Amino acid sequence: MKYTLKKLATLIVSLLITSVLTFTAFQIIPGDSALNALGMDATKEQLERYREEMGLNKSLPVRYINWLKGALKGDFGYSTQYQMQMKVSTLIKNRLTVTFWLAVMSFLLIVVISIPLGIFAAGKKNGIPDSFITLITQIFMSVPPFFLGMLITLIFGIILKWFTPGSYINPGENFGQFLRFMIFPAIAVAVPKIAMTVKFLRSSLLREMELDYVRTAKSKGMTKARILIRHILKNALIPVITFLAMMLADILAGAILVEQVFNLPGLGRLLVSSISNRDYAVVQAIILYIVSVVIIINFIVDLIYQWIDPRVKRD
Amino acid sequence: MKKMVKIKGKTYHLNYILGLVITSLVLLIVIIGFFYTPYDPNTMNAALKNSPPSLMHPLGTDNFGRDILSRVMVGAGTTYVIAVSIVLIGAFFGTVVGALTGYFGGWLDEVIMRFNDVLTAIPSILLALVFVSIFGTGTYNIIFALGILFVPSYARVIRSEFIVLRERDFVNNAKLMGAGSLRIMFIHILPNTRNVLIPALLIGFNNAVLAEAGLSYLGLGVQPPQASLGRMLSEAQSYLLDSPWYALAPGLMIILTVLGFSLISGGMGND
């Protein structure tokens, strides 16, 4: 209980630090945001009124509190990059589905593929298949996800014609078709991470295999496969869980880039177009959103972790 | 992998040798690119738009008829210079911060490390995007932004080394002989961190290459007409259907660069 409370306190502090940093970072941008929003030919009265409406003439801490209050209610003000004025929250809500499914599918691919591969590689330690897997993982770890996305478009889209590049389908229209299309960007995000996870799981398993309890199990006459699955795997998977949780930040980062390759209307594309158009309200909201998600998931993983392995609580 | 190679009585990992070979090849291309390219990398030629690889243009030409081989040579150079600058900035300030906090400890150490924890939870490309959106795009801005972002990782590595090493006998001896703190930190302790620092530099270089490529790919890093590997990939994207060779050349160059360094750093350690 004490452990949970301590973690909860850290969570809240981290979220607060994140919000302060996200807010203040955008205050050092040179230029007048009222002038930016209304254009060069706005009159003095118009500028004054805009500042009044947006609360720009208040002091920094007051503006931060107002912004945070809005953020907690999901209100981040208005976006400026489109002709039609749109609420930042609506904009984000529309784009969220794509990034969410991209991240979930990539994560599932990573778990489903890398765990058996890692076990297989460790089981055949120093054999030909192990060396082969090790070399392949090194190569795939070196491929930037967006280049992999281009290769996938080239091979599966243009040469093999398994999908039509650019034929993204809205999840609301046809969810099955949407998932079918999303498989390809998900592979692009997942492959480098699969390589990393296999490498990590393999060395985690090999470390476990050296321990005394494995020798005991062996001398009891258990088969190698049974020791690996019943005993070693359970212990070796614990660090892998943290590793996968830390990977989440990378998955989201990969998604930002890969959305660009496959032309997916997700948060990453919105972020990049908001940066190019100096639409700071949107940039702030997306950054706060993604970072909070990462921090909260890390918190949940910490809790799960101490539940699986009570030894962590002691340090 | 236990594949070892013996050279002049010393044994090396096969991976290490492979990494050295790949890296030397890439470096050779980059160095030649600084002095000589087969064509001017920015000269456009409307008659040669999107032509496939040929004897005249071994890697083909791009949508403006520019020679891709020349652009890859120069672009890899740009990427290299950016990545090296980023790592130098990050490693220099990271070492100073890590050495001070690790050697002295105390509340400052505590504060900086908590701050570090928050920073590492955030995807670095996201932080880089924040920097770029505040300070603007361009080569110098991404060097500055990514350089700062690399400070925490080096600070952490150096700090944990310093915490262990500051208790060692040679440090106490130096203290007894009247050496000042700065002298102990940077002349006595720092050289002993090389086993950790050198792989960290190599991995940092790879991360810098990938980050530069990512930012330039998004159009937020190196600006046209300057060539960098990421910039070339973003231009190649639209011509994937008609001229796939355009994307392959810079993409493979990134892979080789990163693969070379990661094989070297993997082969150096006890992996």
Side-chain angles (χ1 to χ4, degrees), chain B:
Chain B
M1 275 216 282
K2 277 218 177 110
K3 301 277 179 310
M4 295 300 209
V5 184
K6 259 193 175 169
I7 296 172
K8 287 185 183 167
K10 275 189 169 175
T11 50
Y12 297 96
H13 258 275
L14 185 64
N15 278 355
Y16 181 75
I17 305 290
L18 194 63
L20 275 185
V21 171
I22 294 175
T23 303
S24 321
L25 275 177
V26 174
L27 252 176
L28 192 70
I29 296 176
V30 168
I31 292 171
I32 294 174
F34 283 134
F35 302 104
Y36 166 80
T37 51
Y39 294 87
D40 181 273
N42 291 329
T43 302
M44 303 182 188
N45 185 344
L48 280 171
K49 268 186 196 171
N50 292 331
S51 60
S54 61
L55 277 178
M56 293 292 287
H57 298 275
L59 297 179
T61 60
D62 69 3
N63 51 314
F64 292 114
R66 297 175 293 197
D67 179 49
I68 293 178
L69 176 64
S70 308
R71 284 184 71 74
V72 166
M73 289 169 80
V74 173
T78 314
T79 302
Y80 249 73
V81 170
I82 293 176
V84 169
S85 320
I86 291 169
V87 171
L88 286 181
I89 294 175
F92 177 77
F93 290 104
T95 304
V96 172
V97 173
L100 291 173
T101 53
Y103 188 75
F104 293 113
W107 63 269
L108 188 65
D109 177 41
E110 200 57 37
V111 170
I112 290 180
M113 284 303 129
R114 286 295 81 76
F115 192 70
N116 244 343
D117 285 345
V118 175
L119 275 186
T120 40
I122 305 170
S124 59
I125 187 108
L126 206 61
L127 279 177
L129 288 175
V130 174
F131 268 89
V132 168
S133 81
I134 293 169
F135 297 104
T137 57
T139 311
Y140 294 108
N141 282 338
I142 63 168
I143 291 178
F144 170 69
L146 292 170
I148 293 176
L149 291 183
F150 274 47
V151 172
S153 64
Y154 288 103
R156 169 164 321 157
V157 168
I158 292 294
R159 173 182 173 268
S160 56
E161 282 296 292
F162 266 65
I163 287 177
V164 178
L165 290 170
R166 71 174 178 207
E167 311 292 343
R168 295 273 285 274
D169 284 344
F170 72 90
V171 174
N172 288 329
N173 287 346
K175 265 185 205 157
L176 284 176
M177 288 169 77
S181 298
L182 279 179
R183 191 182 167 82
I184 293 177
M185 283 191 312
F186 294 104
I187 295 184
H188 294 278
I189 300 183
L190 191 61
N192 285 295
T193 61
R194 63 179 178 278
N195 284 340
V196 182
L197 189 58
I198 293 172
L201 288 175
L202 295 179
I203 293 168
F205 177 84
N206 278 349
N207 289 336
V209 168
L210 292 175
E212 184 280 325
L215 283 178
S216 298
Y217 172 75
L218 293 177
L220 302 170
V222 172
Q223 297 297 316
Q226 199 185 2
S228 88
L229 297 177
R231 179 74 225 164
M232 289 181 75
L233 278 177
S234 103
E235 286 165 8
Q237 164 104 43
S238 333
Y239 303 93
L240 211 52
L241 186 64
D242 309 314
S243 40
W245 55 86
Y246 186 9
L248 289 179
L252 288 178
M253 197 66 180
I254 295 178
I255 296 177
L256 287 179
T257 304
V258 174
L259 182 64
F261 276 88
S262 60
L263 287 177
I264 292 177
S265 76
M268 278 199 316
N270 36 17
D271 185 22

Side-chain angles (χ1 to χ4, degrees), chain A residues 25-26 29 131 138-139 142-144 146-147 150-151 154 158 249 253 256-257 260-261 271 275 280 287 290-291 294, chain B residues 1 3 121-123 125-126 129-130 133-134 210 213-214 217-218 233 237 240-241 244 247-248 251 254-255 258-259 262:
Chain A
F26 287 88
I29 297 168
S131 314
Q138 283 281 11
I139 293 174
S142 315
V143 185
F146 59 93
F147 181 58
M150 290 166 88
L151 286 180
L154 186 62
I158 295 174
I256 292 175
L257 288 160
Q260 205 75 10
V261 183
L271 180 62
I275 291 174
Y280 297 122
I287 302 277
I290 295 183
V291 176
V294 172
Chain B
M1 275 216 282
K3 301 277 179 310
I122 305 170
I125 187 108
L126 206 61
L129 288 175
V130 174
S133 81
I134 293 169
L210 292 175
Y217 172 75
L218 293 177
L233 278 177
Q237 164 104 43
L240 211 52
L241 186 64
L248 289 179
I254 295 178
I255 296 177
V258 174
L259 182 64
S262 60

Side-chain angles (χ1 to χ4, degrees), chain A residues 66-128:
Chain A
N66 286 338
W67 178 75
L68 189 64
K69 270 188 199 154
L72 288 174
K73 280 184 265 170
D75 175 17
F76 289 94
Y78 290 91
S79 155
T80 54
Q81 63 183 307
Y82 298 101
Q83 284 292 321
M84 212 171 58
Q85 207 179 36
M86 273 179 96
K87 277 190 98 128
V88 174
S89 50
T90 333
L91 210 54
I92 290 183
K93 212 184 287 162
N94 292 340
R95 303 297 194 98
L96 196 60
T97 337
V98 179
T99 309
F100 173 78
W101 283 106
L102 184 54
V104 169
M105 287 172 81
S106 323
F107 189 76
L108 288 180
L109 280 175
I110 294 170
V111 173
V112 170
I113 297 175
S114 57
I115 292 182
L117 264 186
I119 297 172
F120 179 73
K124 300 236 186 290
K125 188 175 80 166
N126 298 329
I128 304 266

Side-chain angles (χ1 to χ4, degrees), chain A:
Chain A
M1 199 56 209
K2 203 178 150 200
Y3 179 85
T4 315
L5 282 179
K6 208 175 136 192
K7 284 282 164 196
L8 195 66
T10 326
L11 171 75
I12 293 166
V13 172
S14 308
L15 288 176
L16 274 176
I17 295 178
T18 310
S19 72
V20 172
L21 289 181
T22 323
F23 181 78
T24 43
F26 287 88
Q27 304 305 313
I28 35 178
I29 297 168
D32 182 347
S33 55
L35 205 61
N36 281 341
L38 298 180
M40 279 319 229
D41 31 62
T43 61
K44 237 183 183 163
E45 289 79 47
Q46 279 174 321
L47 288 175
E48 221 29 73
R49 200 170 50 212
Y50 181 84
R51 287 193 190 109
E52 191 71 46
E53 268 172 32
M54 293 290 165
L56 287 175
N57 41 15
K58 300 214 174 68
S59 73
L60 198 64
V62 175
R63 273 188 290 147
Y64 167 71
I65 300 285
N66 286 338
W67 178 75
L68 189 64
K69 270 188 199 154
L72 288 174
K73 280 184 265 170
D75 175 17
F76 289 94
Y78 290 91
S79 155
T80 54
Q81 63 183 307
Y82 298 101
Q83 284 292 321
M84 212 171 58
Q85 207 179 36
M86 273 179 96
K87 277 190 98 128
V88 174
S89 50
T90 333
L91 210 54
I92 290 183
K93 212 184 287 162
N94 292 340
R95 303 297 194 98
L96 196 60
T97 337
V98 179
T99 309
F100 173 78
W101 283 106
L102 184 54
V104 169
M105 287 172 81
S106 323
F107 189 76
L108 288 180
L109 280 175
I110 294 170
V111 173
V112 170
I113 297 175
S114 57
I115 292 182
L117 264 186
I119 297 172
F120 179 73
K124 300 236 186 290
K125 188 175 80 166
N126 298 329
I128 304 266
D130 179 35
S131 314
F132 185 68
I133 291 178
T134 315
L135 187 68
I136 296 283
T137 52
Q138 283 281 11
I139 293 174
F140 277 120
M141 275 163 66
S142 315
V143 185
F146 59 93
F147 181 58
L148 198 62
M150 290 166 88
L151 286 180
I152 287 173
T153 310
L154 186 62
I155 295 169
F156 296 110
I158 295 174
I159 298 173
L160 295 174
K161 299 203 190 315
W162 288 5
F163 73 102
T164 324
S167 69
Y168 165 79
I169 292 150
N170 240 323
E173 232 169 87
N174 185 339
F175 194 66
Q177 288 290 318
F178 165 75
L179 286 187
R180 212 184 97 80
F181 184 80
M182 293 296 279
I183 281 279
F184 296 97
I187 293 173
V189 176
V191 166
K193 317 293 174 222
I194 290 175
M196 282 181 210
T197 317
V198 168
K199 193 179 170 201
F200 187 83
L201 177 61
R202 176 181 170 274
S203 58
S204 170
L205 281 167
L206 291 183
R207 229 183 359 253
E208 252 344 280
M209 281 177 185
E210 311 272 303
L211 296 180
D212 285 345
Y213 74 87
V214 177
R215 201 185 44 206
T216 313
K218 242 184 239 165
S219 56
K220 271 167 55 188
M222 280 177 105
T223 58
K224 209 179 154 196
R226 199 178 153 85
I227 299 174
L228 191 64
I229 291 166
R230 292 288 302 261
H231 293 272
I232 299 177
L233 195 58
K234 267 190 200 162
N235 288 312
L237 276 181
I238 292 171
V240 175
I241 293 173
T242 334
F243 185 76
L244 285 173
M246 277 166 60
M247 196 80 98
L248 189 89
D250 279 343
I251 292 177
L252 287 170
I256 292 175
L257 288 160
V258 168
E259 279 172 15
Q260 205 75 10
V261 183
F262 288 89
N263 240 326
L264 302 176
L267 276 188
R269 283 263 312 282
L270 179 63
L271 180 62
V272 173
S273 78
S274 307
I275 291 174
S276 313
N277 291 309
R278 306 181 149 263
D279 191 352
Y280 297 122
V282 182
V283 180
Q284 267 179 329
I286 295 179
I287 302 277
L288 186 68
Y289 186 80
I290 295 183
V291 176
S292 306
V293 167
V294 172
I295 292 177
I296 291 171
I297 289 189
N298 277 328
F299 166 72
I300 296 171
V301 170
D302 269 345
L303 292 189
I304 297 176
Y305 198 62
Q306 63 135 336
W307 176 64
I308 305 178
D309 187 2
R311 284 175 297 182
V312 241
K313 254 193 277 191
R314 273 181 241 140
D315 354 296

